[in-house]
């Protein structure tokens, strides 16, 4: 095999730069996104994406590709449970792809929320489900996709520190297919309400 020439190395470096640039946001779009995030989205999600109200999901520290995909799903009206329709379809409708990417970058780079422990016994039961699943009814371990610490893995979303009420509602929406995602429908199918409550309590407490 021939050793890599300087030209080849230069080409590799140039390619790496091009790839890096795809994630970059131009300064004007970034400014526009920050103004939107703070002035508009912030009313519900908090200025840095750490919402205080259980109905509004926390976005800080969330995976950027996941966030962009969700905003496109609201805009395309494919993520459609009642709250998505009522709150987010209108919000996402005027956003172009560049603004969506810039908003996603903004939230992904904010400091994620600290966990808040509520009912410790409930959270402990939730931890078992998170780490091991519920074998008897075919529920897989959540950790397999969302990561051992629930910080997300690849483009699987972060769940740590999310409001329990929001997590509960999403699991119910996946189960009923109001939020229509095949993977999570399969996961949620076998979960009883009590088990959803437990895993949601565990996730809310996760730092
Ligand atoms: C009036 C309140 C409100 C405003 C303003 C608002 N949202 Fe939302 N947002 C919600 C609610 C409620 C949900 C949860 C919908 C559901 O339950 O499916 C949500 C969900 C989301 C999600 C999905 C999060 C996840 O974890 O899947 C993203 C991303 C999001 N909003 C981004 C934004 C952005 C960006 C803006 C501003 C352009 C914005 N929101 C403005 C209420 C709001
Ligand atoms: C095989 C992979 C996989 C497993 C296992 C899995 N998930 Fe998911 N989960 C996903 C994917 C993919 C999404 C994003 C769905 C989308 O694109 O809207 C998701 C989304 C979610 C969401 C929505 C997050 C948000 O911010 O709205 C919750 C809540 C969730 N999963 C909880 C769980 C729980 C609890 C378990 C274990 C009982 C689990 N997941 C197991 C792949 C998985």
């Amino acid at each position: 095999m021939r050793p890599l020439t300087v030209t080849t190395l230069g080409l590799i470096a140039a390619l790496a730069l091009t790839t890096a640039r795809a994630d970059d946001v131009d300064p004007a779009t970034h400014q526009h996104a920050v103004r939107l995030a703070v002035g508009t989205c912030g009313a519900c999600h908090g200025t840095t994406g750490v919402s205080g109200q259980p109905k509004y999901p926390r976005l800080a520290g969330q995976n950027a590709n996941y966030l962009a995909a969700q905003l496109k799903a609201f805009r395309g009206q494919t993520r459609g449970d009642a709250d998505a329709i009522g709150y987010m379809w209108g919000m996402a409708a005027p956003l172009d792809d560049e603004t969506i990417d810039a908003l996603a970058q903004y939230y992904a780079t904010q400091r994620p929320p600290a966990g808040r422990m509520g009912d410790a016994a409930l959270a402990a039961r939730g931890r078992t489900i998170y780490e091991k699943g519920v074998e008897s009814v075919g529920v897989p371990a959540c950790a397999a996709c969302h990561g051992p610490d629930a910080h997300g893995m690849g483009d699987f979303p972060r769940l740590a520190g999310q409001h329990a009420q929001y997590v509960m509602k999403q699991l119910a929406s996946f189960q009923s297919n109001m939020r229509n995602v095949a993977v999570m429908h399969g996961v949620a199918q076998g979960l009883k309400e009590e088990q959803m409550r437990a895993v949601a309590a565990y996730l809310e407490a996760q730092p």
Side-chain angles (χ1 to χ4, degrees):
M1 210 169 101
R2 277 193 313 158
L4 289 175
T5 62
V6 175
T7 325
T8 321
L9 286 174
L11 203 70
I12 291 169
L15 277 172
L17 272 177
T18 324
T19 326
R21 243 179 230 136
D23 296 334
D24 275 356
V25 173
D26 82 72
T29 311
H30 173 72
Q31 284 298 316
H32 172 55
V34 173
R35 270 199 299 274
L36 260 181
V38 173
T40 304
C41 323
C44 296
H45 293 287
T47 48
T48 63
V50 182
S51 105
Q53 286 188 58
K55 190 180 186 68
Y56 306 135
R58 298 183 147 184
L59 309 175
Q62 184 57 277
N63 174 277
N65 290 336
Y66 170 78
L67 288 172
Q70 298 310 306
L71 286 169
K72 286 174 184 167
F74 292 131
R75 187 182 62 184
Q77 307 191 344
T78 56
R79 175 169 165 180
D81 86 359
D83 288 331
I85 296 171
Y87 290 88
M88 284 306 301
W89 282 17
M91 282 291 150
L95 303 177
D96 59 24
D97 285 359
E98 290 69 33
T99 307
I100 283 180
D101 288 345
L103 282 164
Q105 284 295 330
Y106 173 77
Y107 288 117
T109 51
Q110 300 304 307
R111 180 202 283 271
R116 291 143 299 147
M117 181 61 82
D119 180 339
L122 187 65
R125 289 201 293 284
R127 178 183 189 150
T128 307
I129 297 170
Y130 188 83
E131 291 175 350
K132 303 199 166 76
V134 188
E135 214 182 318
S136 57
V137 289
V139 174
C142 319
C145 294
H146 294 282
D149 48 11
H151 287 187
M153 212 162 68
D155 289 341
F156 295 122
R158 173 189 178 92
L159 303 173
Q162 189 54 276
H163 294 296
Q165 181 183 313
Y166 171 79
V167 169
M168 269 293 290
K169 212 212 67 180
Q170 298 313 308
L171 290 171
S173 294
F174 286 131
Q175 194 175 55
S176 69
N177 266 334
M178 293 246 280
R179 181 172 172 186
N180 197 348
V181 180
V183 177
M184 277 306 301
H185 178 69
V187 169
Q189 219 171 10
L191 284 176
K192 294 194 185 71
E193 196 185 320
E194 166 65 13
Q195 293 168 323
M196 290 184 190
R197 201 176 298 287
V199 82
Y202 169 69
L203 290 168
E204 187 173 74
Q206 273 296 103

